[in-house]
Structure formats: C-alpha cells, structure tokens
Amino acid sequence: MMLSVRDLRVSFRTEDGLIRAIDGVSFDLDKGEILGVVGESGSGKTVSLLAVMGLINDPNATIEGSIRYNGRELIGLPARELRHLRGSEIAMIFQDPMTALTPVYTIGWQIAEQIRAHQKISKAKALARVEELLAEVNFPNPREAMSRYPHQLSGGMRQRAVIAMALSCNPALLVADEPTTALDVTVQAGILDLVRKLRATHNSAVVFITHDMGVVSELADRVMVMYAGRIVERGSRAALFSEPRHPYTRALLGSIPPLTGEKPRRLPAIPGSPPSLLRLPHGCAFEPRCPVRYEACTTEKPALGGGTHAAACLREAQA
Ligand SMILES: Nc1ncnc2c1ncn2[C@@H]1O[C@H](COP(=O)(O)OP(=O)(O)O)[C@@H](O)[C@H]1O
Ligand SMILES: [Mg+2]
C-alpha cells in the first residue's frame, strides 16, 4: 500500500476551546488509484490532506495517529525530509493557483526553477522540459506561455501551469484540493482529463478533494465522504452512486450539479448546517439534519464498519 492513514486526529486550540477538525480518519491508497474526497465546506477535507503532506504549521495544532507513505511514518518526520518528499514524489494542486505561483516571475522561469530545485540539470534543459510540460497540459503555444507572468493568463491557464509544475517531478502521489472549483465546466473537464492522463502514464495515485459529486462521479475509483471531521461513508464509485448507504451521502447525491451546460447559480442545499466542531453532538454528528434519525442516534456515535463499502450509520448497523 502506498499510503496508509490510521486514526488520524487533528485538533486546534483556540480561544473558544478545542476544535476537533479531524476525529479518527483512516484510509488507504494504492498506486494508480484515484480517491475522491467529498463533503461540505468545513468537513475536514483540506485539513486531513494537509496533515498527510506535513503542511499543518499552526503552532496550536495537535496531530495524532499514523500516516505511512511506502511504509515510512510521516508523522514526526523532520520538516526537511517532508519538504524533500513534497518536491520529489508528492505534488499538490490547490484551489487557488496563485498560492503556488509567484506573481513577479514568468511561468517558464518559475517552473524551471522548481525542476532545478530537485533535479541537477542545466537551465536550458529545464526550460526545454517546461515547454514539454506546458504542451502536455494543452497550452496551445507553450513557448509563448513561458514568457508570460501569472496575471497575464486566464484562471484556467494558471491552474494548468500549476499542474505542469506539479507534474514536473512525475509525482507518485498527487493531492488536488478543489482545483477546478473556480473554473467553468469546459475548463474543468480539461483538468479532469489531465489527472486521468497522469494516472495512465505514470500510474500515479491521486487524492482529489471536491465538494462536487458530479466531479467524483466522473473521476474517482473510490470515494470517501466526510462529515464533521469523520468519514461517514466509503466505497467504490459504483457502489457509492448506485447504493449510497449514509443519509448524508444520499443528500449529497440529491445535489449533483450538471457537468455540462451552465452551472446552476446556487446548488440545492441540504437543510440545516453542520455542527460546531467545538460542541459536537454526543451521538451521530449528522443526526440533527438526518431525515431518518431515531432516538438512539442522539446518544450513540455510529462507527464506520470494515469492508470495502461501509457507512457510519446506526440504521446501517441495524440492517
Ligand atoms: N488553523 C486552524 N485553526 C482552527 N481551526 C481550523 C484551522 N484550520 C482549519 N480549521 C477548522 O477545521 C475544520 C475543517 O476545515 P477544512 O479541512 O478546511 O474543511 P474543508 O476543506 O472540508 O472545507 C473547519 O471547521 C475549520 O474552520
Ligand atoms: Mg477545503
């Protein structure tokens, strides 16, 4: 197994109390697999993957559990070694491409520098490689794009430049955090194609975070649904879409935006809102919003069962 996360817990000390952002998350990821991570805003998608990447720098954070990458424990690994892993084997793409790009340098220069930071090659070779990479991510005129500054590119082009940068190390593991959220659907489709291509050519593993079930249905092999810092359901894409077991997953499926055509102005919302992570309910965190709750749900925390398709729901345990 390439990545094994066990009982990951992340909490933040704040003036208001302890925020339990991640409350016991476990999952595995193998080479060549695309794992979709879905859930509403605030459910812990970003924090759990930042923990995997060793990128939680908040001094008020506590991280517990185990994160093994190719058998090696990452929790507690020195920052230097994590940085090396991130540049050489693990790559990331974030929602806002400007977090990865520097406004004052040209696209070509910054991707070349990124390559040269991890590989001992000449500047000319690095620049030639950048041109190849930009062609790979479908820049119509890669050489010309290299001389542009980030602000001279469209949002979709910037995101592709960041993907080119991420691909420059042929990552064994790519973590993408809502990389298409700000893009329109045609540009989004192009980005999803690039992710599939990376997997096809390098057998890379991909964790793709999104709040969009439509994207998951297009891309993921397996899916993990998060709610209030926990996994409430996991399964293969086919199982999850044909036979969703958790009421929250079913609610999310009721709100799939169309992948083609115009995006609706506002997504149909699930009534109610997620609980405060400072004061989680004693029982199931989804209980206050659940259409099929019953008494036991207010007092018992449902566990996520074993097996490839599992849901953390008392109704499920009963069935
Ligand atoms: N540095 C921090 N200090 C306090 N709370 C945080 C911090 N970072 C994230 N959180 C909280 O952790 C929860 C999960 O956040 P996040 O993983 O970003 O959600 P998602 O990516 O699913 O939208 C949120 O309630 C967020 O406010
Ligand atoms: Mg997020």
Side-chain angles (χ1 to χ4, degrees), residues 92-94 96-103 110 114 159 162 165:
M92 300 160 282
I93 319 170
F94 294 108
D96 176 8
M98 286 312 282
T99 55
L101 298 172
T102 312
Q110 43 194 308
Q114 163 87 9
Q159 194 58 289
V162 171
M165 195 184 283

Side-chain angles (χ1 to χ4, degrees), residues 94-113:
F94 294 108
Q95 178 174 342
D96 176 8
M98 286 312 282
T99 55
L101 298 172
T102 312
V104 294
Y105 296 119
T106 61
I107 295 293
W109 192 88
Q110 43 194 308
I111 302 178
E113 282 306 298

Side-chain angles (χ1 to χ4, degrees), residues 12 14 19 21 40-48 58 277:
F12 298 99
T14 69
I19 293 184
E40 281 164 296
S41 173
S43 57
K45 305 181 297 295
T46 296
V47 169
S48 50
D58 189 329
L277 298 176

Side-chain angles (χ1 to χ4, degrees), residues 10-14 19-22 38-50 56 58 60-61 177-178 209 226 229 275 277:
V10 180
S11 55
F12 298 99
R13 282 184 307 278
T14 69
I19 293 184
R20 292 178 201 284
I22 307 297
V38 274
E40 281 164 296
S41 173
S43 57
K45 305 181 297 295
T46 296
V47 169
S48 50
L49 273 304
L50 286 179
I56 297 183
D58 189 329
N60 293 310
D177 190 356
E178 312 219 25
I209 300 178
M226 293 197 64
L277 298 176

Side-chain angles (χ1 to χ4, degrees), residues 11 23 32 60 97 104 109 148 167 176 178 180 201 230 285 305:
S11 55
D23 189 22
N60 293 310
V104 294
W109 192 88
R148 299 278 194 103
L167 300 188
E178 312 219 25
T180 62
T201 50
R230 295 181 141 216

Side-chain angles (χ1 to χ4, degrees), residues 19-30:
I19 293 184
R20 292 178 201 284
I22 307 297
D23 189 22
V25 158
S26 303
F27 64 92
D28 291 318
L29 184 66
D30 222 339

